[in-house]
Amino acid sequence: MSRLVSCPPAPGPLEGFAAEFDGLFTHLAQRRKFREYLAGLLAPRERSKTLTCLAGAEPVVGSKDAAVQRLQYFLSESCWEPDAVNGRRLELLLANPALAPHAGGVLVIDDSGDRKDGTATAFTGPQYLGRIGKTDNGIVTVTAVWADERVYYPVHAEPYCPARRLPQGTRDPAFHTKWWIAADLAVRAAEDGFGFRAVTGDCAYGDTDNFRAALREADLPFVLAVRPRRGTWARESDAHTPVEAARRLAWGGPAAPGGWTPVTRCFRDGSTRVWWAADAVLGGWGPDSPTRLVVATADPGTLPQKATWYLVTNLPRPGGPRDPARGAGQEHRAASLPELVRIYGLRHWIEQSYKQVKDELGWADFQVRSALAIRRHQALVHCAFTFCWEQWFTPPGPSDATAPETGPVRRPERGTSHVPPAPTSLLAQGPARGPLLAHPRPHAAALVEHLVHQAPTS
């Protein structure tokens, strides 16, 4: 096997991370552009991270610059596989003791949309975009994020292709619904060695019978939310919605909680709050049925809309007839009410993930049109995200030789004078308190630190 031609190193610790991917690129130019692309994604965000921004060119007028065109070719035309790059990234996560998944984590399923103009870009079409809260022209990507109380990172992502873009519509063999994509991502994560206690997701997936059936068929545990007024067939005298089932549970206040169990939730700022959880009965869902209905709320008396969860799970009740500890033959160990609340509480990490990849790493800022190029951009953003976490857990060390000796140079606004920044002789040796450092180590730590201290719960 021929030896790879040496590549100009990336700044600081980014080189060690990028070198792990060198074997996936056949040309020196690809390895160089891989490093340049990651460095651009990790740079301070002063404008949208389009190709001109990543190449350091002027917006619009610099789109024909050679550096921009080389990045465009790297995404759209060069020969490398985004799945191979993502697979290597997953291998690095599995091999890192600080980031490796374990059976106590969760796999969060969700989708997120971003607006895009026109119809020439792959996957675009009128569809509901959660980021703006309405139907508009854009792209939706289904994602699977692994999370526990300390870390969260994407495992797989797959853009959703609307039926109208396919020749045969919903009958086209290439068409897959969002729930089908989500179930496939969960299976792939398990096959890749990303263990988890359960798959979790919001009511967009919990309300989908086919999604729950697909997870059950794959023998994957789940804890999913359902809408409070999701109707079901039942006798006239029985509850017909989850909220009705919750109101039928006895509650006499904290001194006489009836069927409710107190659950203490701990938040990132150190504060705690007591919630209440209970098994409820709705149609074929019940404490000892194949599917349990669990209600968790801050106030069982009023069931506040923004502080009440209605959850369905296939994890058995401790001590019940389906508990494996009683020889029931179940493969998934029983889950108590506090554990179910903990599992679903971790679902909110995916919202933090979206904030970081979109607001800092330029997830939706791509300027390419083909499906392959979009998938490549997403794989590179995930690599930058993983590098941030690696640096978060890397002990601070001495400044490396590739570190710049001056502060970041910014172009002046039109019509204003510009005073060059004063030179600095020493870079930050630990996590930076702000995102305005261009050197990869402190900036990557700052990106993670900015959001990890705003995390919803521990």
Side-chain angles (χ1 to χ4, degrees), residues 87-437:
R88 181 58 181 145
R89 180 183 68 90
L90 299 183
E91 292 175 0
L92 296 177
L93 288 170
L94 290 168
N96 190 324
L99 298 172
H102 54 81
V106 300
L107 189 73
V108 188
I109 296 294
D110 200 9
D111 58 73
S112 181
D114 297 282
R115 193 180 183 283
K116 287 290 180 181
D117 292 329
T119 59
T121 303
F123 309 119
T124 57
Q127 50 193 320
Y128 181 80
L129 306 178
R131 187 172 178 84
I132 62 177
K134 65 177 183 178
T135 298
D136 205 337
N137 197 69
I139 295 178
V140 173
T141 301
V142 183
T143 58
V145 169
W146 190 93
D148 64 5
E149 285 80 1
R150 299 182 313 122
V151 299
Y152 55 95
Y153 47 75
V155 181
H156 295 291
E158 181 65 28
Y160 165 74
C161 185
R164 61 174 54 88
R165 295 191 64 93
L166 299 172
Q168 302 179 39
T170 56
R171 297 183 179 181
D172 196 289
F175 175 74
H176 299 297
T177 60
K178 294 176 185 175
W179 69 260
W180 187 96
I181 297 173
D184 181 64
L185 296 185
V187 172
R188 288 167 58 187
E191 292 176 347
D192 288 341
F194 285 78
F196 46 82
R197 183 67 171 104
V199 176
T200 185
D202 60 17
C203 57
Y205 293 92
D207 283 338
T208 305
D209 296 336
N210 288 334
F211 178 63
R212 300 196 310 274
L215 294 181
R216 197 185 301 276
E217 182 178 355
D219 199 26
L220 296 178
F222 60 79
V223 179
L224 305 168
V226 293
R227 288 176 294 126
R229 302 194 179 279
R230 180 188 187 277
T232 187
W233 291 99
R235 295 191 179 119
E236 183 177 0
S237 57
D238 295 337
H240 292 79
T241 63
V243 67
E244 290 180 5
R247 288 172 178 163
R248 295 188 176 218
L249 298 170
W251 170 254
W260 295 89
T261 299
V263 176
T264 301
R265 299 190 63 204
C266 303
F267 296 87
R268 295 292 301 186
D269 60 0
S271 63
T272 61
R273 186 173 181 180
V274 176
W275 275 38
W276 300 85
D279 277 290
V281 176
L282 176 64
W285 297 346
D288 298 320
S289 301
T291 301
R292 294 167 62 189
L293 173 64
V294 173
V295 183
T297 180
D299 184 3
T302 61
L303 299 175
Q305 181 179 0
K306 294 185 177 180
T308 302
W309 300 339
Y310 302 91
L311 310 175
V312 291
T313 179
N314 59 346
L315 295 172
R317 176 177 64 90
R322 298 177 56 245
D323 188 347
R326 300 184 58 182
Q330 296 286 327
E331 294 188 10
H332 308 304
R333 61 182 175 86
S336 63
L337 294 174
E339 184 178 13
L340 294 176
V341 173
R342 168 195 169 269
I343 289 173
Y344 190 73
L346 292 173
R347 190 205 75 84
H348 298 287
W349 277 119
I350 199 168
E351 305 299 338
Q352 299 292 329
S353 173
Y354 286 149
K355 288 180 181 179
Q356 192 160 10
V357 299
K358 293 185 177 183
D359 297 342
E360 296 290 350
L361 298 179
W363 172 267
D365 295 343
F366 57 83
Q367 288 180 318
V368 289
R369 298 197 182 278
S370 70
L372 177 60
I374 292 173
R375 287 191 170 97
R376 286 173 170 175
H377 171 78
Q378 293 177 347
L380 294 171
V381 170
H382 287 170
C383 286
F385 192 97
T386 301
F387 173 73
C388 288
W389 276 114
E390 284 197 356
Q391 293 306 299
W392 175 256
F393 287 107
T394 299
S399 303
D400 33 70
T402 61
E405 295 184 356
T406 59
V409 178
R410 302 185 185 182
R411 292 184 175 89
E413 297 292 335
R414 291 183 180 178
T416 62
S417 60
H418 175 60
V419 179
T424 58
S425 59
L426 184 66
L427 289 175
Q429 297 300 302
R433 297 300 174 182
L436 296 180
L437 290 175

Side-chain angles (χ1 to χ4, degrees), residues 3-9 28 31-32:
R3 186 176 180 181
L4 293 175
V5 179
S6 60
C7 179
L28 172 62
R31 298 195 295 276
R32 295 184 64 171

